[in-house]
Amino acid sequence: MTREQYILATQQNSLPRTEHPQFYPVGIYGWRKRCLYFFVLLLLVTMIVNLAMTIWILKVMNFTVDGMGNLRVTKKGIRLEGISEFLLPLYVKEIHSRKDSPLVLQSDRNVTVNARNHMGQLTGQLTVGADAVEAQCKRFEVRSSDGGKVLFSADEDEIVIGADRLKVTGTEGAVFGHSVETPHIRAEPSQDLKLESPTRSLVMEAPRGVQVNAAAGDLKATCRKELHLQSAEGEIFLNADTIRLGNLPMGSFSSSSSSFSSSSSPSSSAPRQTIYELCACPNGKLYLSPAGAGSTCQSSSNICLWS
């Protein structure tokens, strides 16, 4: 480098600078700053309102460590105290009440309890309504307090009453549309037992006999048309001190006349008939004797010897 170049270079560096430096501000100013402060203030107010609403909800719903309101979460399950309302279906395995209070299920319309199988099909239903209580199931049972004895059961084939005594307290008695099978029918003490068929016949059948016994009263059989006592293979045994056949028509027979008169149904043109008397032997056998002017039962006592 020559001397002249060195002098020129040193003179240029030593000259004072006349230009002023430019400063650029850093930050948010103007309307941007005001918008930012507004959003921060709005966020702060929202947080305060949210916190206040959360505290109010916790206080109103009575949230505690064990649960909320009347609902308590225990080791054995969920416990509800007081009156609770469920707006949606409730799925539970068991429902128990406290030992000192009953369990009440209440609804404005009806209460329906459904049972379903693993496929979701309805297998049993119990509906308690304002007019009736309906049960739809394959078998319905009512058991005793200890659960061991079946008091009542019903299915599609039969109805079983397992109580020791079936008592009907209605004034009209019990009405059966079809046959009834029972080993014993008994009335209450000092009460009458009445089997009645107002419009049809009354039939009592048993493979080994039918026994009708009135220990302290009378036995009365009444019908409108005819009363048949029939024994296919055995005998009809009437055992009593006195056997009376009342309200029988009395007839008269005359050998010279061919007319037959009766106090119940008189007829002047009836054909000639022979009237017999029904006589009884001391051994209980019965025989017929022709009726005459007087009774022939005493005069025909010799018939009892060979009959």
Side-chain angles (χ1 to χ4, degrees):
M1 176 181 293
T2 61
R3 184 176 179 181
E4 290 79 5
Q5 292 177 348
Y6 176 77
I7 294 172
L8 182 60
T10 54
Q11 289 180 356
Q12 290 179 356
N13 293 332
S14 62
L15 292 176
R17 295 181 179 180
T18 58
E19 297 180 356
H20 298 282
Q22 296 181 359
F23 298 96
Y24 297 96
V26 178
I28 301 175
Y29 298 95
W31 62 273
R32 294 183 180 87
K33 184 177 181 180
R34 289 192 294 270
C35 290
L36 179 61
Y37 286 163
F38 174 75
F39 287 134
V40 171
L41 181 62
L42 181 61
L43 180 61
L44 180 62
V45 172
T46 304
M47 291 177 61
I48 295 174
V49 173
N50 192 10
L51 180 61
M53 291 295 294
T54 303
I55 296 174
W56 179 77
I57 291 174
L58 292 175
K59 184 178 180 180
V60 171
M61 299 300 293
N62 193 14
F63 277 96
T64 59
V65 179
D66 298 332
M68 54 173 288
N70 297 330
L71 180 65
R72 295 290 183 269
V73 180
T74 61
K75 296 180 179 179
K76 297 181 179 181
I78 298 176
R79 180 177 179 179
L80 287 175
E81 298 180 355
I83 300 175
S84 303
E85 297 182 3
F86 298 92
L87 302 179
L88 296 177
L90 176 65
Y91 299 94
V92 295
K93 183 178 180 180
E94 294 181 1
I95 299 178
H96 297 278
S97 64
R98 295 188 304 179
K99 295 182 179 180
D100 56 347
S101 63
L103 176 64
V104 179
L105 301 178
Q106 184 176 358
S107 174
D108 294 338
R109 294 186 179 181
N110 54 34
V111 178
T112 303
V113 180
N114 295 332
R116 301 179 182 274
N117 55 11
H118 63 282
M119 299 179 62
Q121 299 176 353
L122 184 64
T123 57
Q125 185 181 66
L126 178 63
T127 303
V128 180
D131 298 331
V133 178
E134 298 180 359
Q136 298 180 5
C137 55
K138 294 182 179 180
R139 182 177 177 85
F140 180 77
E141 291 185 357
V142 177
R143 294 182 174 270
S144 58
S145 58
D146 55 356
K149 184 177 181 180
V150 178
L151 301 179
F152 177 84
S153 65
D155 54 17
E156 296 180 357
D157 298 330
E158 62 180 3
I159 295 177
V160 178
I161 299 176
D164 296 334
R165 177 182 298 180
L166 174 62
K167 186 176 182 179
V168 180
T169 59
T171 57
E172 297 295 333
V175 180
F176 300 96
H178 299 282
S179 62
V180 179
E181 297 182 5
T182 176
H184 191 193
I185 300 177
R186 183 181 62 183
E188 288 290 333
S190 70
Q191 298 292 332
D192 297 335
L193 176 63
K194 186 176 181 180
L195 302 178
E196 182 180 1
S197 177
T199 57
R200 296 296 179 91
S201 59
L202 178 61
V203 180
M204 292 186 294
E205 296 180 354
R208 300 186 62 180
V210 177
Q211 180 180 1
V212 181
N213 184 16
D218 299 333
L219 176 62
K220 184 178 180 181
T222 305
C223 64
R224 179 175 294 274
K225 292 183 179 181
E226 297 179 356
L227 177 62
H228 296 276
L229 299 177
Q230 182 179 0
S231 177
E233 298 180 358
E235 60 182 2
I236 298 176
F237 181 69
L238 301 177
N239 185 10
D241 295 337
T242 303
I243 299 176
R244 296 181 181 180
L245 301 177
N247 297 328
L248 294 179
M250 297 181 63
S252 61
F253 171 74
S254 177
S255 60
S256 61
S257 175
S258 61
S259 62
F260 172 76
S261 61
S262 174
S263 61
S264 60
S265 59
S267 176
S268 59
S269 61
R272 180 171 179 172
Q273 298 180 0
T274 303
I275 299 177
Y276 294 92
E277 288 183 334
L278 180 62
C279 302
C281 297
N283 58 1
K285 294 185 178 181
L286 302 178
Y287 67 93
L288 297 177
S289 176
S295 177
T296 59
C297 288
Q298 298 296 333
S299 60
S300 303
S301 60
N302 55 349
I303 300 179
C304 298
L305 299 177
W306 55 268
S307 62

